[in-house]
Amino acid sequence: MLSMETSIGLIDIVGYASPSKQVLWLSSVLAGIIMCKTVYELTGVFSPLLFKGYSKLNNKVKLEWNNRGFSTFHAIIVAAGSLYLLLASNLFDESDEELIVNRTSTLSDTLLGVSIGYFLTDLAMIIYNFPTLGGMEYVLHHGLSMYSIIQSLLSGQAQIYILMVLFSESTTPFVNLRWYLDVAGQKSSKLYIFNGVALFLGWLVARILLFIIFFYHMFIHFDQVKKVYPLGFYSLLSVPPVLTMMNVFWFWKIAKGLVKTLNKARRNE
């Protein structure tokens, strides 16, 4: 019975979009891919001007250095866009009579499409260069992210929850800066310590506390959540808990790293 309902849901998704919507989706995904390629190349051009040691890095490290350039850019774009849509716009205003799980806009569709382009590009690079850019946990994270975003974009449902999860990308610039400083031999610098504290606090807010709000919001709006098409509904119940467990695991590693860094800084004083 579940498979029949799921199939019907997927058929409904295919017939949902107007031609203009389909063009918007495809162009947004393509824009995301072009964005990644462009920022990747620009990172390789400007990095030697900003960091003299860049030219001495081996090819594998340069690959990851440039890759983190476009992941940082994407994180800033989607975090800012998600924050605007969730809090500053009236898209998810509780006074609106339309079901909150069915609300979309041209901007939200575009943002999701660009993110699909990013995750597709980054996942392709991770797999092609495996395991240089990350292990299976990154493949799992990116795979689940694309799976969820694509469903939400095509169905026009549950975008509020996708945007909440995309806002958690706001921690990525701190993760990348930590890596850059490590490669540059700046682990003992004050910037490395300040960034570590910012990463810890940012992760706590954007990937731990925010997910608690996420689940609470789903709970109090569960009558609407149940109206999401079957595959999307069961994905909402299964994917976020997996991402949460991954976030908690990474948070534990970040906390351990921060304690180690702070202890080392005290000993060096």
Side-chain angles (χ1 to χ4, degrees):
M1 182 65 179
L2 175 59
S3 60
M4 182 180 298
E5 290 179 350
T6 300
S7 298
I8 293 173
L10 290 174
I11 292 173
D12 289 341
I13 291 175
V14 173
Y16 163 77
S18 64
S20 60
K21 277 265 189 181
Q22 294 177 13
V23 171
L24 173 64
W25 295 344
L26 291 174
S27 59
S28 298
V29 173
L30 182 60
I33 296 173
I34 294 174
M35 175 195 74
C36 292
K37 173 63 175 175
T38 302
V39 177
Y40 179 91
E41 296 297 336
L42 289 176
T43 302
V45 171
F46 288 103
S47 291
L49 304 177
L50 301 173
F51 173 53
K52 294 181 179 179
Y54 177 84
S55 59
K56 298 179 181 179
L57 301 176
N58 62 51
N59 290 335
K60 287 186 177 181
V61 177
K62 285 182 179 178
L63 174 72
E64 184 167 0
W65 183 289
N66 297 347
N67 174 274
R68 287 178 182 269
F70 72 72
S71 74
T72 299
F73 189 81
H74 164 263
I76 294 172
I77 294 297
V78 298
S82 297
L83 187 64
Y84 168 77
L85 287 167
L86 290 168
L87 299 181
S89 74
N90 60 359
L91 181 59
F92 301 110
D93 193 331
E94 290 286 355
S95 63
D96 196 320
E97 294 183 0
E98 185 181 6
L99 295 181
I100 203 165
V101 294
N102 289 338
R103 299 183 198 174
T104 67
S105 69
T106 299
L107 178 58
S108 66
D109 280 358
T110 301
L111 199 65
L112 265 58
V114 169
S115 285
I116 292 171
Y118 159 73
F119 282 115
L120 186 62
T121 304
D122 201 33
L123 182 60
M125 288 189 67
I126 290 172
I127 294 174
Y128 184 78
N129 298 284
F130 193 85
T132 301
L133 297 177
M136 286 303 301
E137 68 273 17
Y138 288 95
V139 175
L140 176 62
H141 174 271
H142 283 29
L144 289 175
S145 296
M146 281 201 302
Y147 168 77
S148 302
I149 297 171
I150 289 173
Q151 284 193 74
S152 184
L153 180 62
L154 296 181
S155 67
Q157 293 186 309
Q159 289 198 4
I160 184 173
Y161 298 116
I162 297 298
L163 292 170
M164 290 174 73
V165 174
L166 281 178
F167 178 73
S168 67
E169 287 292 307
S170 58
T171 61
T172 298
F174 301 107
V175 173
N176 289 342
L177 180 56
R178 183 182 183 182
W179 183 89
Y180 283 133
L181 292 171
D182 187 6
V183 171
Q186 298 294 317
K187 290 188 69 172
S188 59
S189 67
K190 289 185 178 180
L191 179 57
Y192 186 87
I193 296 173
F194 293 152
N195 181 71
V197 174
L199 173 59
F200 174 84
L201 295 175
W203 200 281
L204 176 63
V205 172
R207 292 186 183 259
I208 303 298
L209 298 180
L210 178 61
F211 271 72
I212 295 175
I213 297 173
F214 176 100
F215 291 120
Y216 176 72
H217 191 280
M218 277 187 58
F219 175 75
I220 63 176
H221 293 88
F222 200 67
D223 58 324
Q224 297 188 39
V225 172
K226 289 189 293 185
K227 297 180 181 180
V228 174
Y229 78 101
L231 181 60
F233 172 71
Y234 291 109
S235 296
L236 272 174
L237 296 183
S238 57
V239 174
V242 175
L243 293 177
T244 300
M245 288 188 290
M246 295 176 70
N247 285 335
V248 170
F249 171 71
W250 282 327
F251 184 63
W252 174 72
K253 294 183 68 174
I254 289 169
K256 283 184 62 179
L258 178 61
V259 170
K260 182 178 179 181
T261 299
L262 292 176
N263 287 336
K264 183 178 179 181
R266 289 194 190 99
R267 289 195 299 267
N268 292 335
E269 288 181 352

XYZ file of all heavy atoms in Angstrom, residues 4 18 23 27 31 37 40 89 96 128 139-140 149 162 167 170 176 188 221 224 267:
171
model
N 2.325 1.960 -3.405
C 1.338 2.493 -4.342
C 1.117 3.976 -4.085
O 1.089 4.783 -5.016
C 0.014 1.730 -4.196
C -1.062 2.202 -5.175
S -2.600 1.285 -4.974
C -2.050 -0.372 -5.374
N 4.621 23.907 -13.993
C 4.391 24.560 -15.283
C 5.724 24.643 -16.015
O 6.789 24.504 -15.399
C 3.831 25.958 -15.060
O 4.782 26.767 -14.375
N 11.757 25.563 -16.143
C 12.891 26.370 -16.618
C 13.616 26.999 -15.438
O 14.852 27.023 -15.387
C 12.413 27.457 -17.603
C 13.554 28.425 -17.916
C 11.892 26.824 -18.887
N 17.466 26.120 -14.589
C 18.414 27.230 -14.668
C 19.058 27.492 -13.311
O 20.241 27.862 -13.228
C 17.717 28.503 -15.178
O 16.646 28.880 -14.335
N 22.897 27.289 -12.560
C 23.559 28.448 -11.957
C 24.401 28.026 -10.758
O 25.502 28.547 -10.539
C 22.523 29.483 -11.532
N 31.984 26.232 -10.135
C 33.119 26.216 -11.051
C 33.832 27.563 -11.063
O 35.079 27.632 -11.019
C 32.634 25.859 -12.460
C 33.695 25.966 -13.560
C 34.842 24.991 -13.343
C 35.807 25.043 -14.529
N 37.006 24.187 -14.302
N 35.581 28.227 -7.714
C 36.723 27.303 -7.625
C 37.926 27.881 -8.376
O 39.051 27.908 -7.858
C 36.331 25.947 -8.215
C 37.445 24.920 -8.187
C 37.598 24.065 -7.098
C 38.336 24.803 -9.253
C 38.618 23.118 -7.077
C 39.363 23.867 -9.234
C 39.491 23.027 -8.144
O 40.512 22.100 -8.117
N 10.989 37.768 5.420
C 9.897 37.805 4.441
C 8.599 37.390 5.126
O 8.603 36.917 6.267
C 10.193 36.864 3.277
O 10.021 35.510 3.667
N -1.120 33.776 7.545
C -1.528 33.348 6.207
C -2.361 32.072 6.310
O -2.018 31.149 7.054
C -0.284 33.086 5.347
C -0.616 33.027 3.859
O -1.660 32.454 3.514
O 0.180 33.548 3.056
N 34.844 11.530 -7.207
C 35.912 11.411 -8.195
C 37.286 11.395 -7.530
O 38.198 10.695 -7.974
C 35.823 12.567 -9.192
C 36.831 12.485 -10.316
C 36.623 11.614 -11.395
C 37.986 13.255 -10.296
C 37.540 11.524 -12.427
C 38.921 13.176 -11.328
C 38.689 12.302 -12.388
O 39.614 12.213 -13.401
N 29.629 11.770 1.746
C 28.783 11.217 0.687
C 27.364 11.053 1.205
O 26.387 11.408 0.527
C 29.336 9.868 0.189
C 28.384 9.242 -0.839
C 30.721 10.045 -0.429
N 27.240 10.526 2.431
C 25.923 10.339 3.046
C 25.229 11.682 3.264
O 24.048 11.841 2.935
C 26.074 9.599 4.377
C 24.788 9.403 5.194
C 23.788 8.561 4.415
C 25.103 8.757 6.540
N 16.196 18.023 -0.784
C 15.977 19.297 -1.482
C 15.252 19.079 -2.803
O 14.336 19.838 -3.164
C 17.315 20.016 -1.721
C 17.976 20.385 -0.391
C 17.101 21.295 -2.539
C 19.393 20.909 -0.532
N 13.232 22.582 4.772
C 14.471 22.525 3.994
C 15.297 23.782 4.236
O 16.520 23.725 4.399
C 14.165 22.376 2.486
C 13.437 21.059 2.216
C 15.456 22.442 1.674
C 14.226 19.819 2.579
N 19.959 26.658 6.537
C 20.573 27.699 7.359
C 21.729 27.151 8.191
O 22.659 27.885 8.544
C 19.542 28.354 8.285
C 20.143 29.404 9.180
C 20.533 30.631 8.658
C 20.358 29.149 10.537
C 21.117 31.600 9.478
C 20.944 30.108 11.350
C 21.318 31.334 10.827
N 25.466 27.788 7.697
C 26.150 28.991 8.189
C 27.403 28.654 8.998
O 28.258 29.519 9.219
C 25.197 29.838 9.039
O 24.692 29.096 10.148
N 35.723 25.847 7.372
C 36.722 26.028 6.320
C 37.870 26.930 6.760
O 39.040 26.669 6.429
C 36.060 26.584 5.061
C 35.185 25.563 4.368
O 35.315 24.354 4.605
N 34.283 26.017 3.517
N 48.391 28.080 16.205
C 48.673 28.719 17.493
C 48.257 30.195 17.516
O 48.461 30.878 18.518
C 50.167 28.616 17.813
O 50.949 29.246 16.800
N 2.876 21.499 14.163
C 2.217 21.617 12.857
C 2.032 20.240 12.201
O 1.931 20.142 10.980
C 3.025 22.525 11.916
C 3.077 23.953 12.345
N 4.036 24.442 13.200
C 2.272 25.016 12.039
C 3.834 25.726 13.401
N 2.781 26.107 12.720
N -0.503 19.541 9.526
C -0.154 19.974 8.175
C 0.925 19.072 7.573
O 0.882 18.774 6.380
C 0.337 21.421 8.189
C -0.695 22.434 8.638
C -0.228 23.857 8.440
O 0.412 24.188 7.442
N -0.549 24.726 9.386
N 48.865 26.648 28.180
C 50.211 26.167 28.489
C 51.287 27.033 27.851
O 52.393 27.157 28.368
C 50.375 24.711 28.021
C 49.605 23.701 28.848
C 50.087 22.300 28.586
N 49.907 21.921 27.181
C 48.832 21.296 26.714
N 47.835 20.992 27.535
N 48.749 20.984 25.430
